[in-house]
Amino acid sequence: MPLWPVYTGTNEPHDGIAELPAPPPWRDFDGGPVLPAPDAAADTAAHSPDRTHRAETYQATEETVELVNAALYLRRPLLVTGPPGTGKSSLVYAVARELRLGPVLRWNITSRSTLHDGLYQYDPLSRLYAARQEAARPGRTGGTGGAGGTGGTGGAGGAVDGSGIEHHLRLGPLGTALLPYDRPRALLIDEIDKSDLDLPNDLLNVLEEGQYEIPELVRASRLTPDGVAEVLADGTDERVPVVRGRVRCRAFPFVVLTSNGEREFPPAFLRRCVTLHLRQPDDRHLAEIVRAHLGEPDAYARTLIERFLSRSGAGDLATDQLLNAIYLARSAGLDAGSLDRLAEQLMPYLGQSAQSDVF
Protein backbone atom coordinates (compact mmCIF):
# COMPACT_ATOMS: atom_id res chain seq x y z
CA MET A 1 0.00 0.00 0.00
CA PRO A 2 1.56 3.34 -1.01
CA LEU A 3 2.26 5.82 1.72
CA TRP A 4 0.35 9.05 2.14
CA PRO A 5 1.19 11.63 0.93
CA VAL A 6 1.94 11.35 -2.78
CA TYR A 7 2.37 15.13 -3.00
CA THR A 8 4.72 16.18 -0.21
CA GLY A 9 5.06 19.94 -0.74
CA THR A 10 8.85 19.71 -0.59
CA ASN A 11 9.35 20.97 -4.18
CA GLU A 12 11.56 17.95 -4.92
CA PRO A 13 10.46 16.26 -8.21
CA HIS A 14 9.71 12.53 -7.99
CA ASP A 15 7.60 9.80 -9.62
CA GLY A 16 5.32 9.19 -6.67
CA ILE A 17 2.27 9.61 -8.89
CA ALA A 18 2.99 6.10 -10.17
CA GLU A 19 2.34 4.83 -6.62
CA LEU A 20 -1.12 6.37 -6.43
CA PRO A 21 -3.58 3.63 -5.41
CA ALA A 22 -6.43 2.51 -7.62
CA PRO A 23 -9.30 5.01 -7.78
CA PRO A 24 -12.62 4.51 -6.01
CA PRO A 25 -14.89 2.26 -8.13
CA TRP A 26 -17.11 5.22 -8.98
CA ARG A 27 -14.10 7.21 -10.28
CA ASP A 28 -12.45 4.51 -12.41
CA PHE A 29 -11.97 5.48 -16.07
CA ASP A 30 -10.91 3.31 -19.01
CA GLY A 31 -10.37 5.64 -21.95
CA GLY A 32 -8.12 4.69 -24.86
CA PRO A 33 -6.04 4.39 -26.88
CA VAL A 34 -3.59 5.18 -24.09
CA LEU A 35 -1.33 8.17 -24.71
CA PRO A 36 2.08 8.75 -23.09
CA ALA A 37 2.27 11.78 -20.86
CA PRO A 38 3.99 14.69 -22.64
CA ASP A 39 7.45 15.76 -21.60
CA ALA A 40 7.65 18.78 -19.31
CA ALA A 41 9.33 20.75 -22.11
CA ALA A 42 6.70 19.86 -24.73
CA ASP A 43 4.81 23.15 -24.34
CA THR A 44 7.33 25.99 -24.57
CA ALA A 45 4.65 28.60 -23.82
CA ALA A 46 4.02 26.96 -20.44
CA HIS A 47 7.65 27.38 -19.38
CA SER A 48 7.92 31.08 -18.68
CA PRO A 49 10.46 32.08 -16.01
CA ASP A 50 7.60 33.36 -13.86
CA ARG A 51 5.77 30.02 -13.81
CA THR A 52 8.96 28.07 -13.25
CA HIS A 53 9.94 30.30 -10.33
CA ARG A 54 6.49 29.99 -8.74
CA ALA A 55 6.62 26.20 -9.02
CA GLU A 56 10.09 26.00 -7.45
CA THR A 57 9.40 28.37 -4.55
CA TYR A 58 5.80 27.51 -3.57
CA GLN A 59 5.46 27.05 0.19
CA ALA A 60 2.62 24.61 0.87
CA THR A 61 0.92 24.47 4.25
CA GLU A 62 0.08 21.17 5.96
CA GLU A 63 -3.60 21.65 5.09
CA THR A 64 -2.72 22.28 1.44
CA VAL A 65 -0.69 19.06 1.24
CA GLU A 66 -3.51 17.05 2.82
CA LEU A 67 -6.23 18.35 0.52
CA VAL A 68 -4.13 18.08 -2.65
CA ASN A 69 -3.58 14.42 -1.80
CA ALA A 70 -7.28 13.98 -1.07
CA ALA A 71 -8.10 15.31 -4.56
CA LEU A 72 -5.46 13.05 -6.14
CA TYR A 73 -6.65 9.92 -4.31
CA LEU A 74 -10.35 10.59 -4.94
CA ARG A 75 -9.84 11.75 -8.55
CA ARG A 76 -11.83 14.90 -7.79
CA PRO A 77 -11.26 18.54 -8.82
CA LEU A 78 -9.69 20.81 -6.19
CA LEU A 79 -11.55 24.10 -5.67
CA VAL A 80 -9.10 26.62 -4.19
CA THR A 81 -10.55 29.80 -2.68
CA GLY A 82 -9.02 32.71 -0.84
CA PRO A 83 -8.05 36.37 -1.13
CA PRO A 84 -5.80 37.59 -3.96
CA GLY A 85 -2.10 36.85 -3.63
CA THR A 86 -2.35 33.73 -1.47
CA GLY A 87 -0.92 31.40 -4.13
CA LYS A 88 -4.07 29.83 -5.54
CA SER A 89 -2.90 29.56 -9.14
CA SER A 90 0.73 28.85 -8.17
CA LEU A 91 -0.32 25.65 -6.42
CA VAL A 92 -1.02 23.70 -9.60
CA TYR A 93 2.44 24.54 -11.01
CA ALA A 94 4.09 23.34 -7.80
CA VAL A 95 2.16 20.05 -7.83
CA ALA A 96 2.81 19.47 -11.55
CA ARG A 97 6.54 20.06 -11.06
CA GLU A 98 6.90 17.82 -8.00
CA LEU A 99 4.85 14.94 -9.46
CA ARG A 100 6.22 15.36 -13.01
CA LEU A 101 2.80 15.77 -14.58
CA GLY A 102 4.12 17.66 -17.61
CA PRO A 103 3.13 21.13 -18.81
CA VAL A 104 0.21 22.73 -16.98
CA LEU A 105 -2.86 23.27 -19.13
CA ARG A 106 -4.42 26.64 -18.34
CA TRP A 107 -7.96 27.88 -18.98
CA ASN A 108 -8.45 31.53 -17.98
CA ILE A 109 -12.14 32.15 -17.31
CA THR A 110 -14.02 35.32 -18.28
CA SER A 111 -17.69 36.24 -18.14
CA ARG A 112 -18.02 35.00 -21.75
CA SER A 113 -16.34 31.60 -21.26
CA THR A 114 -18.40 28.52 -22.15
CA LEU A 115 -17.86 24.78 -21.72
CA HIS A 116 -17.35 24.53 -25.48
CA ASP A 117 -14.34 26.89 -25.23
CA GLY A 118 -12.64 24.61 -22.75
CA LEU A 119 -13.32 21.41 -24.70
CA TYR A 120 -12.44 22.34 -28.29
CA GLN A 121 -12.55 25.03 -30.95
CA TYR A 122 -13.73 24.36 -34.50
CA ASP A 123 -13.42 26.89 -37.34
CA PRO A 124 -15.96 26.06 -40.08
CA LEU A 125 -15.07 29.13 -42.14
CA SER A 126 -11.43 28.13 -42.52
CA ARG A 127 -12.57 24.65 -43.48
CA LEU A 128 -14.91 26.05 -46.15
CA TYR A 129 -12.05 28.11 -47.57
CA ALA A 130 -9.77 25.04 -47.59
CA ALA A 131 -12.46 22.98 -49.35
CA ARG A 132 -12.72 25.59 -52.10
CA GLN A 133 -8.96 25.65 -52.47
CA GLU A 134 -8.91 21.87 -52.69
CA ALA A 135 -11.67 21.80 -55.31
CA ALA A 136 -9.76 24.29 -57.46
CA ARG A 137 -6.45 22.44 -57.24
CA PRO A 138 -5.25 21.18 -60.65
CA GLY A 139 -5.22 17.40 -61.03
CA ARG A 140 -7.35 16.75 -57.96
CA THR A 141 -8.62 13.17 -57.96
CA GLY A 142 -10.74 13.21 -54.83
CA GLY A 143 -10.24 12.16 -51.23
CA THR A 144 -12.09 11.85 -47.99
CA GLY A 145 -12.22 15.50 -47.10
CA GLY A 146 -15.59 16.36 -48.60
CA ALA A 147 -18.56 17.82 -46.80
CA GLY A 148 -18.52 15.27 -44.00
CA GLY A 149 -15.06 13.70 -44.17
CA THR A 150 -12.15 13.97 -41.83
CA GLY A 151 -9.53 14.65 -44.46
CA GLY A 152 -6.89 12.42 -45.95
CA THR A 153 -4.92 12.36 -49.17
CA GLY A 154 -6.03 13.27 -52.60
CA GLY A 155 -4.96 15.08 -55.72
CA ALA A 156 -1.69 14.82 -57.57
CA GLY A 157 1.17 13.18 -55.72
CA GLY A 158 -1.00 12.12 -52.77
CA ALA A 159 -0.99 15.63 -51.26
CA VAL A 160 -2.79 16.01 -47.96
CA ASP A 161 -6.37 17.21 -48.28
CA GLY A 162 -6.57 20.09 -45.80
CA SER A 163 -10.35 20.42 -45.98
CA GLY A 164 -11.05 17.65 -43.46
CA ILE A 165 -12.65 18.62 -40.15
CA GLU A 166 -9.66 17.49 -38.10
CA HIS A 167 -7.45 20.11 -39.77
CA HIS A 168 -9.67 22.91 -38.48
CA LEU A 169 -10.30 21.69 -34.95
CA ARG A 170 -8.12 22.00 -31.85
CA LEU A 171 -8.79 20.64 -28.40
CA GLY A 172 -9.01 23.19 -25.58
CA PRO A 173 -7.33 22.92 -22.16
CA LEU A 174 -10.14 20.89 -20.59
CA GLY A 175 -10.56 18.75 -23.69
CA THR A 176 -6.83 17.99 -23.73
CA ALA A 177 -6.71 17.19 -19.99
CA LEU A 178 -9.39 14.52 -20.53
CA LEU A 179 -7.44 12.65 -23.20
CA PRO A 180 -6.53 9.06 -22.16
CA TYR A 181 -3.03 9.81 -20.86
CA ASP A 182 -1.27 7.14 -18.82
CA ARG A 183 -0.77 9.60 -15.95
CA PRO A 184 -2.81 12.65 -14.88
CA ARG A 185 -2.41 15.98 -16.66
CA ALA A 186 -2.49 19.16 -14.57
CA LEU A 187 -5.23 21.64 -15.48
CA LEU A 188 -5.76 25.13 -14.04
CA ILE A 189 -9.24 26.61 -14.46
CA ASP A 190 -8.45 30.11 -13.24
CA GLU A 191 -11.01 32.42 -11.61
CA ILE A 192 -14.08 30.27 -12.10
CA ASP A 193 -16.05 32.80 -10.03
CA LYS A 194 -15.85 35.25 -12.96
CA SER A 195 -17.79 32.89 -15.23
CA ASP A 196 -21.35 33.06 -16.40
CA LEU A 197 -23.76 31.57 -13.88
CA ASP A 198 -24.26 28.46 -16.02
CA LEU A 199 -20.62 27.38 -16.45
CA PRO A 200 -20.16 25.58 -13.09
CA ASN A 201 -23.31 23.54 -13.76
CA ASP A 202 -22.18 22.88 -17.34
CA LEU A 203 -18.90 21.48 -16.01
CA LEU A 204 -20.64 19.01 -13.71
CA ASN A 205 -21.32 16.24 -16.22
CA VAL A 206 -17.93 16.44 -17.95
CA LEU A 207 -15.97 16.36 -14.68
CA GLU A 208 -18.20 13.63 -13.27
CA GLU A 209 -18.08 11.37 -16.32
CA GLY A 210 -14.53 12.18 -17.42
CA GLN A 211 -15.59 12.22 -21.06
CA TYR A 212 -17.18 14.27 -23.82
CA GLU A 213 -18.13 14.10 -27.50
CA ILE A 214 -17.16 16.24 -30.46
CA PRO A 215 -20.33 16.17 -32.62
CA GLU A 216 -18.51 17.30 -35.76
CA LEU A 217 -16.15 14.32 -35.52
CA VAL A 218 -18.92 11.89 -34.56
CA ARG A 219 -20.74 12.71 -37.81
CA ALA A 220 -17.57 12.63 -39.91
CA SER A 221 -16.42 9.29 -38.45
CA ARG A 222 -19.26 7.51 -40.25
CA LEU A 223 -17.49 8.16 -43.55
CA THR A 224 -14.12 6.69 -42.56
CA PRO A 225 -13.26 3.00 -42.06
CA ASP A 226 -11.66 3.28 -38.60
CA GLY A 227 -13.35 6.49 -37.41
CA VAL A 228 -10.05 7.92 -36.17
CA ALA A 229 -9.30 11.62 -36.50
CA GLU A 230 -5.91 13.12 -35.66
CA VAL A 231 -6.49 16.48 -33.98
CA LEU A 232 -4.28 19.12 -32.39
CA ALA A 233 -4.08 19.16 -28.60
CA ASP A 234 -3.82 22.33 -26.53
CA GLY A 235 -0.32 23.69 -26.04
CA THR A 236 1.36 21.66 -28.78
CA ASP A 237 1.53 21.24 -32.54
CA GLU A 238 1.40 17.46 -32.26
CA ARG A 239 -1.75 15.53 -33.15
CA VAL A 240 -3.55 12.97 -30.99
CA PRO A 241 -6.08 10.33 -32.09
CA VAL A 242 -9.77 10.75 -31.32
CA VAL A 243 -11.85 7.63 -32.05
CA ARG A 244 -15.35 8.23 -33.47
CA GLY A 245 -15.46 11.71 -31.97
CA ARG A 246 -15.45 10.53 -28.35
CA VAL A 247 -12.85 11.38 -25.71
CA ARG A 248 -12.65 9.58 -22.35
CA CYS A 249 -9.87 9.93 -19.83
CA ARG A 250 -7.88 7.06 -18.32
CA ALA A 251 -6.04 8.89 -15.53
CA PHE A 252 -8.36 11.62 -14.23
CA PRO A 253 -6.51 14.95 -14.46
CA PHE A 254 -5.41 16.99 -11.47
CA VAL A 255 -7.87 19.86 -11.89
CA VAL A 256 -7.48 23.06 -9.84
CA LEU A 257 -10.28 25.61 -10.00
CA THR A 258 -9.49 28.96 -8.36
CA SER A 259 -11.94 31.48 -6.96
CA ASN A 260 -11.51 34.87 -5.30
CA GLY A 261 -14.86 34.43 -3.57
CA GLU A 262 -16.79 36.83 -5.80
CA ARG A 263 -19.78 34.45 -5.93
CA GLU A 264 -21.23 31.30 -4.42
CA PHE A 265 -21.40 27.98 -6.23
CA PRO A 266 -24.33 25.56 -6.39
CA PRO A 267 -24.28 22.65 -3.91
CA ALA A 268 -24.19 20.09 -6.74
CA PHE A 269 -20.93 21.65 -7.93
CA LEU A 270 -19.37 21.92 -4.48
CA ARG A 271 -20.04 18.30 -3.53
CA ARG A 272 -18.07 17.13 -6.56
CA CYS A 273 -14.99 19.11 -5.51
CA VAL A 274 -12.46 18.94 -2.71
CA THR A 275 -12.39 22.49 -1.30
CA LEU A 276 -9.27 24.23 -0.02
CA HIS A 277 -9.46 27.72 1.47
CA LEU A 278 -6.14 29.59 1.56
CA ARG A 279 -5.79 32.24 4.25
CA GLN A 280 -3.31 35.05 4.65
CA PRO A 281 -0.03 33.52 5.91
CA ASP A 282 1.17 34.07 9.47
CA ASP A 283 4.60 35.46 10.36
CA ARG A 284 6.40 32.09 10.18
CA HIS A 285 4.87 31.22 6.81
CA LEU A 286 5.60 34.72 5.45
CA ALA A 287 9.25 34.38 6.47
CA GLU A 288 9.42 31.02 4.65
CA ILE A 289 7.90 32.60 1.53
CA VAL A 290 10.38 35.49 1.59
CA ARG A 291 13.27 33.08 2.16
CA ALA A 292 12.21 30.91 -0.81
CA HIS A 293 11.94 33.89 -3.17
CA LEU A 294 14.60 36.32 -1.97
CA GLY A 295 16.84 34.55 0.52
CA GLU A 296 17.13 35.02 4.27
CA PRO A 297 15.11 38.08 5.45
CA ASP A 298 17.27 40.84 6.88
CA ALA A 299 16.28 43.21 9.67
CA TYR A 300 14.39 45.61 7.40
CA ALA A 301 12.61 42.72 5.65
CA ARG A 302 11.41 41.48 9.03
CA THR A 303 10.19 44.98 9.81
CA LEU A 304 8.18 44.95 6.58
CA ILE A 305 6.77 41.52 7.43
CA GLU A 306 5.59 42.83 10.82
CA ARG A 307 4.08 45.91 9.17
CA PHE A 308 2.37 43.73 6.56
CA LEU A 309 0.83 41.54 9.26
CA SER A 310 -0.29 44.49 11.40
CA ARG A 311 -2.08 46.06 8.44
CA SER A 312 -3.67 42.86 7.09
CA GLY A 313 -6.47 42.94 9.66
CA ALA A 314 -7.96 46.10 8.15
CA GLY A 315 -7.99 44.98 4.50
CA ASP A 316 -6.76 42.49 1.95
CA LEU A 317 -3.06 42.50 1.14
CA ALA A 318 -1.31 40.17 -1.31
CA THR A 319 1.94 38.42 -0.52
CA ASP A 320 3.53 39.63 -3.76
CA GLN A 321 3.08 43.22 -2.54
CA LEU A 322 5.33 42.37 0.39
CA LEU A 323 7.85 40.65 -1.90
CA ASN A 324 7.96 43.72 -4.16
CA ALA A 325 8.66 45.99 -1.20
CA ILE A 326 11.43 43.76 0.17
CA TYR A 327 13.04 43.39 -3.25
CA LEU A 328 13.17 47.17 -3.77
CA ALA A 329 14.46 47.71 -0.25
CA ARG A 330 17.42 45.47 -1.10
CA SER A 331 18.01 46.77 -4.62
CA ALA A 332 17.13 50.46 -4.82
CA GLY A 333 19.74 51.91 -2.42
CA LEU A 334 17.26 54.38 -0.90
CA ASP A 335 17.44 55.87 2.59
CA ALA A 336 15.16 54.56 5.34
CA GLY A 337 12.59 57.35 5.01
CA SER A 338 12.24 56.88 1.28
CA LEU A 339 11.96 53.12 1.72
CA ASP A 340 9.16 53.52 4.26
CA ARG A 341 7.17 55.80 1.93
CA LEU A 342 7.75 53.47 -1.02
CA ALA A 343 6.68 50.41 0.99
CA GLU A 344 3.46 52.19 1.96
CA GLN A 345 2.70 52.90 -1.69
CA LEU A 346 3.50 49.33 -2.74
CA MET A 347 1.15 47.78 -0.20
CA PRO A 348 -2.25 49.45 -0.66
CA TYR A 349 -5.34 47.59 0.50
CA LEU A 350 -6.97 45.47 -2.21
CA GLY A 351 -10.33 45.19 -0.45
CA GLN A 352 -11.98 44.51 2.87
CA SER A 353 -10.65 41.46 4.66
CA ALA A 354 -12.92 38.88 6.22
CA GLN A 355 -12.03 38.23 9.86
CA SER A 356 -11.62 34.52 9.18
CA ASP A 357 -8.77 35.20 6.77
CA VAL A 358 -6.59 36.87 9.41
CA PHE A 359 -4.35 34.87 11.68
Side-chain angles (χ1 to χ4, degrees), residues 93-104:
Y93 292 99
V95 175
R97 178 178 180 272
E98 180 179 321
L99 299 183
R100 295 176 174 160
L101 302 183
V104 174

Side-chain angles (χ1 to χ4, degrees), residues 205-343:
N205 186 63
V206 172
L207 294 178
E208 188 68 17
E209 300 297 328
Q211 63 183 12
Y212 64 97
E213 286 190 351
I214 302 174
E216 295 86 351
L217 292 182
V218 172
R219 291 191 296 268
S221 68
R222 300 168 188 159
L223 303 177
T224 57
D226 56 6
V228 176
E230 299 281 339
V231 301
L232 289 172
D234 185 70
T236 179
D237 290 329
E238 296 184 1
R239 294 184 175 272
V240 294
V242 174
V243 181
R244 303 203 179 280
R246 296 176 178 88
V247 176
R248 179 173 172 83
C249 71
R250 177 167 290 263
F252 188 79
F254 175 61
V255 182
V256 172
L257 307 102
T258 69
S259 169
N260 291 322
E262 296 182 5
R263 58 176 286 194
E264 294 183 353
F265 298 104
F269 177 79
L270 292 175
R271 75 177 180 85
R272 287 172 170 85
C273 298
V274 174
T275 302
L276 166 65
H277 183 71
L278 296 180
R279 297 173 175 83
Q280 293 286 6
D282 59 11
D283 55 349
R284 179 191 61 80
H285 194 193
L286 270 178
E288 291 176 352
I289 292 172
V290 172
R291 189 176 297 111
H293 286 272
L294 298 171
E296 189 65 33
D298 57 20
Y300 189 73
R302 293 189 178 278
T303 299
L304 288 178
I305 291 174
E306 293 174 2
R307 187 181 306 173
F308 180 89
L309 288 169
S310 67
R311 298 180 67 235
S312 63
D316 287 336
L317 293 171
T319 306
D320 58 352
Q321 293 174 287
L322 173 64
L323 293 174
N324 289 337
I326 294 175
Y327 173 80
L328 281 180
R330 292 182 173 183
S331 306
L334 300 175
D335 59 67
S338 298
L339 285 175
D340 287 342
R341 288 192 298 273
L342 185 58

Side-chain angles (χ1 to χ4, degrees), residues 127 134 140-154 161 163-167 220 223-225:
R127 184 179 177 228
E134 177 67 19
R140 184 180 188 277
T141 61
T144 60
T150 59
T153 60
D161 178 358
S163 64
I165 289 176
E166 63 190 84
H167 299 291
L223 303 177
T224 57

Side-chain angles (χ1 to χ4, degrees), residues 66-67 148 325 333 359:
E66 290 179 350
L67 291 177
F359 280 82

Side-chain angles (χ1 to χ4, degrees), residues 75-99:
R75 276 68 168 184
R76 290 289 185 185
L78 181 67
L79 175 62
V80 184
T81 66
T86 49
K88 296 186 295 295
S89 61
S90 298
L91 172 60
V92 66
Y93 292 99
V95 175
R97 178 178 180 272
E98 180 179 321
L99 299 183

